[in-house]
């Protein structure tokens, strides 16, 4: 028992030291000490009691910094130096790039909800709104994805429209001729276009994401900006960015594309330049690019720039028409015909001034890429994912209402409610995370970890939502044609999963790997102190870390026992408890994460299953936090309550599952056993959303017009007579109007006033017997006609297949 008391004393002492209240470190353990003496049966006077002696020794060792550094920290630092994974230059640059934001709160174990709720994401300006309602709406009207797919490219009129309205210059400031849009506007534009045509969305996304414009804005010389940015903004130059090659996919820094510094002739002048040889593939817009952003390794074997042979990854802008360049062949990315293809160059000579940032930019390419990655990754693919999810939500909710089987709209079946529930709640979480992250970018953040989270988890969420939507639409989702707006979104899913960092890699290595170092309050400091052999700094960081662990362990235990009830919730209302439960999971995450790092040390880098699960926990915490913020920011509308509750309940379950699985797989079983008692003292009790909550989500989609529209109001809605979503929407409107009349007829049958009969016959009898009026009969007939129309699928002349335009719709 004495050892327990001692443990408590040391723990309290460390916590107090951590908070800088040294006086408490003496007084509180002092009080505990008196208690220990009183409790001790020997009743030895405190001054001579062995506990006292041990206490004084411990407090001297741990409480006096000079002693502590020599006796403890020096050894711990040595130990850490031996177990820390080796971090190469490219890895270090990647780790250090970008900023940390609310992810740091989630990592700390004590998220500051008040701060999150006080954060006001930038709203769209009048100009941005006008652009969405003007050129973007008009562009969407011009797009027909089915025809684009069959033609294999955007029509020339669309290319011209995109250039004329400067769609390729959304991130380029107005001073350089661009639109100078906020991240929120950029994201909104991609969602709307993406809801209409993935091909067009990708075409617009790429020049506005990581590529020549973004790199020039942050790293180019003024001369380069003045020349290129106006040309890129107006589409006079079409850019691509070529990083990936056959040998260098996820491991992009392994590129074998090279530049050799040498003297050469360019446009008749003898200049210092580089001879470039490269082989790239998968390059979006590559086949039509006029300027290639090229990443390659720059070598200087003759030491013309200095004494280093290998200068490192370098980025340059290369006009596509130079001799030696081969572009133009195309890949076929899942049949979605945005321009994408390989390109290569053999001994292409360009001056050093073509390097982004000029001669100073030589060897700085990797840093440039890593620093610029977060902004684009925060916007493009999350927006595309939300576009597909919103379309899936809109389509399935309408279809589940108008499609009847067994005399019942299929949405009434519990089996269909289940995927509808996932679609509705996931789409809510996705959109909340999209807008929050764009808001962070607008606030000047380049959130490295969060951008990886939204890229990977929103595209994964899109995959689940689109899959569910396919199952609900069933045969009508499978037969391709202009009526089927889901099939192309389904086809495009793997593209989002793979580009800008393939999801498996992003989940299992990047998110937690970077988060553990960047978001943790002490780890980066510790690592830097170890690298710099700075004992004083290490001592501060390490004991701060120990105190942090002790605080979080206590917090996780207490919050685990009370299911988060001890925390202060920033709002009153139906989501109050969810804030507390998320705080609880954040504390649990912090403890599990610290213990995992401590027990696995450097091997954690290779234990990707574990780091992947920790990434899951972090990502779901972020999605749920975003959803709660969205709900509170919107004034806690009743219409959205089921979505947010269902989404957050699912998120809590996912976080718990992830942490539970980490504990299941920790090599130290004793540590895992103890940890489980702390973070799940009453067991892992979060369950997936209950059926009643799921049913409320499904009803929200099927019956609450406001809820359905609010959840999907970022997408383009085609005219009512257009095949596909347009007609589906009109059929839904018709079905809603007819519902009251149909209910009258059904009630009459139930009451025995009307004899049961199939379809029109029943309707005619209802009219004849005065159950309904003639105008009411017409309403039902019109609704039925619309319904019959939208359950049809496309069929084609077998001699022509689907590749020619003589299409016969047998609907
Ligand atoms: C349609 C399309 C458009 C693209 N556009 C461009 C572009 O414009 N510019 C450009 O430069 N590139 C572009 N890319 C390339 C894209 O970024 C790469 O495809 C991506 O980085 C993955 O590389 P890879 O396909 O070679 O897969 P690989 O690197 O071979 O990876 C294969 C699998 O292994 C996983 N993996 C790899 N390393 C690890 C690890 N350490 N831990 C766990 N899992 C790992 C990956 O997640 C993946 O699942 C595009 C790709 C496609 C398909």
């Amino acid at each position: 028992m004495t050892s327990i008391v001692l443990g408590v004393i040391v723990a309290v002492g460390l916590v107090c030291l951590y908070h800088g209240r040294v006086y408490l470190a003496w007084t509180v353990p002092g009080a505990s000490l008196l208690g220990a003496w009183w409790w001790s049966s020997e009743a030895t006077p405190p001054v001579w009691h062995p506990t006292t002696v041990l206490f004084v020794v411990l407090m001297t060792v741990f409480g006096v910094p000079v002693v502590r550094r020599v006796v403890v920290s020096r050894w711990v630092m040595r130990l850490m130096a031996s177990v820390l994974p080796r971090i190469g230059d490219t890895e270090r640059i990647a780790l250090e790039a970008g900023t940390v934001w609310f992810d740091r709160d989630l990592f700390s174990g004590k998220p500051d909800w008040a701060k999150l709720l006080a954060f006001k994401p930038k709203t769209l300006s009048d100009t941005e709104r006008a652009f969405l309602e003007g050129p973007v709406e008009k562009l969407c009207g011009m797009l027909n994805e089915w025809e684009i797919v069959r033609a294999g490219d955007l029509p020339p009129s669309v290319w011209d429209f995109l250039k004329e309205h400067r769609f390729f210059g959304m991130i380029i400031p107005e001073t350089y001729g661009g639109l100078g849009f906020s991240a929120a506007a950029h994201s909104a534009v991609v969602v709307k276009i993406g809801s209409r045509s993935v091909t067009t969305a990708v075409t617009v996304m790429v020049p506005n994401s990581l590529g020549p414009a973004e790199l020039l804005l942050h790293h180019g010389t003024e001369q380069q900006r003045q020349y290129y940015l106006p040309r890129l903004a107006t589409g006079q130059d079409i850019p691509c960015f070529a990083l990936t090659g056959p040998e260098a996919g996820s491991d992009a820094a392994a590129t074998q594309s090279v530049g050799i510094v040498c003297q050469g002739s360019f446009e008749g002048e003898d200049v210092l330049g580089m001879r470039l040889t490269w082989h790239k593939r998968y390059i979006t817009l590559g086949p039509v690019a006029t300027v290639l952003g090229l990443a390659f390794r720059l070598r200087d074997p003759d030491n013309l720039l200095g004494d280093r042979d290998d200068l490192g990854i370098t980025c340059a802008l290369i006009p596509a028409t130079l001799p030696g360049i081969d572009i133009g062949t195309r890949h076929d990315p899942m049949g979605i015909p945005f321009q994408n293809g390989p390109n290569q160059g053999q001994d292409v000579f360009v001056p050093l001034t073509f390097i982004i940032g000029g001669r100073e930019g030589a060897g700085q390419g990797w840093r440039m890429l890593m620093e610029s990655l977060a902004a684009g990754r925060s916007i493009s693919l999350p927006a595309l994912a939300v576009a597909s999810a919103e379309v899936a939500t809109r389509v399935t909710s309408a279809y589940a209402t108008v499609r009847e089987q067994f005399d019942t709209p299929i949405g009434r079946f519990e089996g269909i409610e289940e995927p509808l529930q996932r679609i509705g709640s996931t789409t809510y979480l996705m959109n909340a995370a999209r807008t929050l992250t764009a808001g962070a970018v607008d606030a000047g953040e380049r959130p490295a970890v969060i951008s990886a989270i939204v890229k990977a988890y929103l595209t994964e969420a899109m995959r689940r939502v689109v899959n569910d939507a396919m199952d609900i639409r069933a045969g009508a989702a499978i037969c391709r044609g202009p009526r089927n707006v889901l099939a192309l979104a389904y086809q495009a899913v793997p593209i989002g999963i793979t580009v800008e960092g393939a999801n498996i890699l992003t989940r299992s290595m990047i998110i937690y790997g970077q988060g553990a170092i960047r978001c943790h309050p002490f780890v980066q400091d510790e690592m830097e102190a170890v690298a710099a052999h700075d004992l004083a700094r290490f001592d501060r960081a390490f004991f701060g870390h120990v105190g942090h662990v002790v605080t979080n362990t206590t917090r996780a235990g207490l919050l685990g026992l009370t299911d988060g009830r001890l925390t202060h919730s920033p709002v009153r209302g139906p989501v109050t408890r969810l804030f507390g439960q998320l705080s609880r999971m954040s504390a649990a995450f912090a403890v599990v994460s610290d213990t995992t790092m401590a027990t696995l040390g450097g091997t954690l880098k290779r234990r990707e299953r574990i780091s992947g699960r920790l990434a899951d926990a972090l990502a779901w915490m972020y999605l749920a936090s975003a959803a709660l913020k969205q709900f509170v920011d919107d004034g806690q509308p009743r219409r959205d309550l089921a979505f947010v509750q269902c989404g957050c309940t699912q998120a809590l379950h996912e976080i718990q599952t992830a942490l539970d699985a980490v504990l299941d797989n920790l090599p130290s079983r004793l540590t895992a056993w103890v940890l489980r008692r702390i973070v799940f003292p009453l067991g892992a009790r979060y369950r997936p959303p209950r059926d009643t909550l799921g049913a409320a989500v499904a009803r929200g989609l099927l019956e609450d017009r406001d809820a359905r529209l609010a959840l999907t109001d970022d997408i383009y809605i085609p005219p009512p007579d257009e095949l596909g979503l347009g007609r589906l929407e009109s059929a839904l409107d018709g079905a809603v109007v007819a519902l009251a009349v149909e209910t009258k007829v059904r009630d009459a049958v139930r009451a025995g006033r009307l004899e049961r009969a199939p379809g029109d016959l029943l309707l005619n009898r209802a009219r004849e017997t005065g159950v309904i009026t003639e105008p009411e009969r017409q309403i039902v007939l019109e609704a039925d006609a619309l319904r019959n129309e939208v359950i049809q699928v496309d069929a084609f002349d077998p001699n022509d297949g689907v590749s020619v335009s003589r299409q016969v719709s047998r609907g």
Side-chain angles (χ1 to χ4, degrees), residues 346-616:
Q346 187 67 45
D347 294 328
V348 179
F349 182 79
V350 294
L352 285 184
T353 49
F354 282 26
I355 294 175
I356 294 177
R359 203 166 152 155
E360 275 71 55
Q364 298 301 313
W366 190 248
R367 185 179 303 282
M368 292 176 186
L369 291 175
M370 291 303 108
E371 283 173 6
S372 304
L373 181 64
R377 195 168 58 177
S378 293
I379 296 167
S380 307
L381 287 163
L384 193 61
V386 166
S388 291
E390 287 196 18
V391 169
T393 304
R394 195 90 169 206
V395 166
T396 46
S397 50
Y399 192 71
T401 306
V402 298
R403 171 67 172 165
E404 292 186 357
Q405 286 294 279
F406 305 100
D407 268 342
T408 311
I410 58 169
R412 299 244 178 96
F413 299 124
E414 282 202 6
I416 292 289
E417 265 183 9
E418 253 186 289
L420 275 177
Q421 157 199 336
R422 285 194 293 268
I423 289 174
S425 56
T426 309
T427 301
Y428 189 89
L429 255 60
M430 290 170 73
N431 206 11
R434 171 187 77 87
T435 45
L436 180 63
T437 310
V441 174
D442 278 330
E445 300 293 341
R446 302 190 144 252
V449 177
I450 288 178
S451 70
I453 288 177
V454 286
K455 188 271 147 177
Y457 287 79
L458 264 53
T459 52
E460 287 293 340
M462 161 182 75
R463 166 150 59 189
R464 282 195 304 276
V465 167
V466 172
N467 268 344
D468 276 332
M470 294 290 289
D471 293 351
I472 292 176
R473 285 267 280 173
I478 290 165
C479 296
R480 301 193 317 145
R483 293 161 192 271
N484 184 349
V485 287
L486 280 182
L488 293 171
Y490 179 77
Q491 258 172 259
V493 162
I495 298 168
I497 300 287
T498 300
V499 300
E500 291 194 4
N503 280 6
I504 296 181
L505 168 88
T506 307
R507 168 184 179 260
S508 48
M509 204 170 101
I510 293 174
I511 294 173
Y512 184 74
Q514 192 167 15
I517 294 173
R518 293 295 305 282
C519 305
H520 192 286
F522 297 102
V523 167
Q524 190 172 13
D525 221 13
E526 284 168 336
M527 288 174 73
E528 285 173 3
V530 169
H533 305 289
D534 183 342
L535 185 58
R537 183 176 172 193
F538 179 79
D539 175 78
R540 269 194 312 277
F542 177 72
F543 278 92
H545 193 162
V546 172
H548 173 74
V549 171
V550 173
T551 311
N552 270 333
T553 307
T554 315
R555 194 175 146 77
L558 290 174
L559 293 184
L561 282 171
T562 58
D563 194 20
R565 286 189 178 80
L566 290 182
T567 55
H568 172 72
S569 176
V571 290
R572 292 253 151 268
V575 293
T576 302
R577 292 271 295 116
L578 288 168
F579 278 104
Q581 288 169 326
L582 262 186
S583 290
R584 176 198 162 188
M585 283 290 113
S586 167
F589 170 80
V591 178
V592 173
S593 157
D594 268 315
T595 314
T596 308
M597 279 193 267
T599 53
L600 290 179
T603 60
L604 179 55
K605 194 176 166 189
R606 292 191 301 278
R607 300 296 305 273
E608 289 188 351
R609 288 170 189 250
I610 295 214
S611 55
R613 290 174 186 125
L614 289 165
D616 290 344

Side-chain angles (χ1 to χ4, degrees), residues 261-264 270-274 304-305 349-353 359:
V261 180
C262 59
Q263 212 53 46
D270 194 37
V271 290
L272 188 56
M274 319 167 271
L304 297 172
L305 296 180
F349 182 79
V350 294
L352 285 184
T353 49
R359 203 166 152 155

Side-chain angles (χ1 to χ4, degrees), residues 202 206 210 240-252 280-286 293 331-334 338-341 494-509 608:
V202 174
V206 165
L210 177 59
C240 69
F241 190 72
L243 176 63
T244 307
E247 69 295 335
S250 301
D251 186 7
K280 303 288 185 183
R281 66 178 183 187
Y282 307 149
I283 307 307
T284 304
L285 295 189
H331 299 305
D332 176 6
M334 297 298 291
F338 55 87
Q339 296 284 339
N340 181 282
I495 298 168
I497 300 287
T498 300
V499 300
E500 291 194 4
N503 280 6
I504 296 181
L505 168 88
T506 307
R507 168 184 179 260
S508 48
M509 204 170 101
E608 289 188 351

Side-chain angles (χ1 to χ4, degrees), residues 519-772:
C519 305
H520 192 286
F522 297 102
V523 167
Q524 190 172 13
D525 221 13
E526 284 168 336
M527 288 174 73
E528 285 173 3
V530 169
H533 305 289
D534 183 342
L535 185 58
R537 183 176 172 193
F538 179 79
D539 175 78
R540 269 194 312 277
F542 177 72
F543 278 92
H545 193 162
V546 172
H548 173 74
V549 171
V550 173
T551 311
N552 270 333
T553 307
T554 315
R555 194 175 146 77
L558 290 174
L559 293 184
L561 282 171
T562 58
D563 194 20
R565 286 189 178 80
L566 290 182
T567 55
H568 172 72
S569 176
V571 290
R572 292 253 151 268
V575 293
T576 302
R577 292 271 295 116
L578 288 168
F579 278 104
Q581 288 169 326
L582 262 186
S583 290
R584 176 198 162 188
M585 283 290 113
S586 167
F589 170 80
V591 178
V592 173
S593 157
D594 268 315
T595 314
T596 308
M597 279 193 267
T599 53
L600 290 179
T603 60
L604 179 55
K605 194 176 166 189
R606 292 191 301 278
R607 300 296 305 273
E608 289 188 351
R609 288 170 189 250
I610 295 214
S611 55
R613 290 174 186 125
L614 289 165
D616 290 344
L618 184 63
W620 281 103
M621 283 196 288
Y622 182 69
L623 297 187
S625 307
L628 288 177
K629 174 168 170 58
Q630 180 78 58
F631 184 68
V632 174
D633 282 358
D634 288 348
Q636 308 198 35
R638 265 220 87 67
R639 60 152 209 247
D640 294 343
L641 183 59
F643 297 135
V644 73
Q645 278 179 330
C646 188
C648 289
T649 306
Q650 184 65 39
L652 287 168
H653 179 66
E654 300 283 352
I655 300 163
Q656 174 188 272
T657 306
L659 296 182
D660 201 30
V662 173
L663 296 181
D664 278 345
N665 291 285
L666 271 190
S668 165
R669 300 314 305 143
L670 178 64
T671 311
W673 186 89
V674 174
L675 210 51
R676 194 181 292 286
R677 259 95 217 134
I678 294 168
V679 298
F680 301 130
L682 304 176
R685 295 165 69 136
Y686 290 141
R687 297 279 169 268
R690 293 173 67 91
D691 289 352
T692 44
L693 183 54
V697 171
R699 270 200 309 280
L701 289 182
L702 299 176
E703 293 165 18
D704 185 340
R705 197 180 163 77
D706 282 354
R708 175 175 181 266
L709 297 188
L711 193 60
T712 55
D713 72 351
D714 305 289
I715 61 175
Y716 174 77
I717 301 300
D721 58 343
E722 190 184 287
L723 288 181
L725 184 55
R727 292 208 188 162
L728 203 47
E729 286 287 305
S730 357
L732 177 66
D733 290 342
V736 169
V737 177
L739 187 67
V741 186
E742 287 168 340
T743 308
K744 262 188 190 178
V745 176
R746 213 169 282 138
D747 288 349
V749 172
R750 271 203 206 110
R753 285 186 285 120
L754 199 59
E755 203 178 316
R756 203 175 286 276
D760 286 357
L761 191 57
L762 177 66
L763 206 59
N764 292 341
R765 280 197 191 145
R767 166 72 191 98
E768 283 155 21
T769 51
V771 172
I772 57 171

